[in-house]
Amino acid sequence: MRPNKEPKRTKPTQSPTRTRPVSPSGSRHRTKLPPPPASLLSGEFVTEEFSRVDNPRSFPYNVKQQCWEKAEKIKGRDPDRWRRDHLGNIVFRKLVGCPGCLCHDYDHILPYSKGGKSTLDNCQVLQATVNRSKGNRTELTKAELIEKSSYCRVSGRDMDMLELSAFGNVRRGQDSGGCNIQ
């Protein structure tokens, strides 16, 4: 057996002494800090009619649901999973905010920075790359936006594979036609 040359470590008998801040009153409880100064970012200078509470920058969940329902359905595909944006690009519901060609964003038609509200009337499903290149510009034509689209050719088999990986199954829409095996 080989001798151990390292000395044996012993546990300290006492924990090291810590100094704790003491308030002027002598207690060790935390004192309440004054509130931070008001700024434009804290929302204190925002007028009543355009408050962030009344008009959040992102769309509420229920508005996103209704906006998805408003988008064009794809024949033969489950409308809860697949839609077309208003430019004709195919988008997949699970892919939100990513840069791929099947990804989408919920876009403010009239940009938020220009007074656009986060309501259903001002919401559209839009391919994410188009939405990012659009920014807060309103003067772009539909043709210019189509040029900014991320073109990708997606076959039915590709769509099936995406559904399988995202949901574990493939669902067809009511209008898919063909035979239903029972």
Side-chain angles (χ1 to χ4, degrees):
M1 188 193 269
R2 206 169 159 172
N4 189 356
K5 293 188 179 184
E6 289 183 33
K8 226 179 192 184
R9 293 184 184 173
T10 59
K11 292 182 184 176
T13 55
Q14 291 181 345
S15 63
T17 309
R18 294 183 184 161
T19 57
R20 294 184 182 158
V22 179
S23 69
S25 66
S27 71
R28 293 185 179 201
H29 298 288
R30 293 184 180 181
T31 57
K32 202 170 191 177
L33 297 174
S39 70
L40 288 174
L41 296 177
S42 68
E44 302 226 359
F45 296 114
V46 178
T47 61
E48 288 295 319
E49 71 175 318
F50 195 65
S51 169
R52 290 181 194 259
V53 175
D54 298 334
N55 187 31
R57 183 172 183 87
S58 62
F59 291 100
Y61 179 77
N62 65 335
V63 172
K64 288 180 181 180
Q65 298 295 333
Q66 295 169 357
C67 189
W68 180 263
E69 293 298 320
K70 198 168 76 165
E72 180 188 343
K73 296 177 183 177
I74 298 175
K75 186 176 181 185
R77 287 287 157 185
D78 183 359
D80 288 337
R81 297 179 179 183
W82 298 96
R83 294 287 174 137
R84 286 188 192 277
D85 68 4
H86 87 281
L87 302 175
N89 299 310
I90 295 173
V91 292
F92 187 50
R93 188 170 201 159
K94 283 251 181 170
L95 300 176
V96 181
C98 53
C101 64
L102 295 175
C103 300
H104 70 284
D105 284 331
Y106 295 96
D107 174 51
H108 288 88
I109 298 168
L110 176 63
Y112 181 84
S113 63
K114 294 186 177 181
K117 303 284 185 192
S118 296
T119 61
L120 181 61
D121 295 335
N122 194 37
C123 182
Q124 67 183 351
V125 172
L126 193 61
Q127 187 183 63
T129 52
V130 176
N131 189 32
R132 307 283 161 73
S133 61
K134 174 187 167 203
N136 70 346
R137 293 177 287 177
T138 55
E139 71 281 354
L140 296 173
T141 66
K142 189 172 182 176
E144 289 172 322
L145 290 174
I146 290 172
E147 285 177 13
K148 295 177 183 306
S149 293
S150 209
Y151 175 76
C152 67
R153 192 173 180 175
V154 184
S155 69
R157 185 176 220 166
D158 294 334
M159 292 173 147
D160 290 348
M161 293 302 292
L162 274 168
E163 281 192 56
L164 275 172
S165 65
F167 296 102
N169 63 5
V170 176
R171 289 194 329 210
R172 302 276 184 219
Q174 297 290 341
D175 58 353
S176 64
C179 300
N180 289 331
I181 300 172
Q182 296 183 22

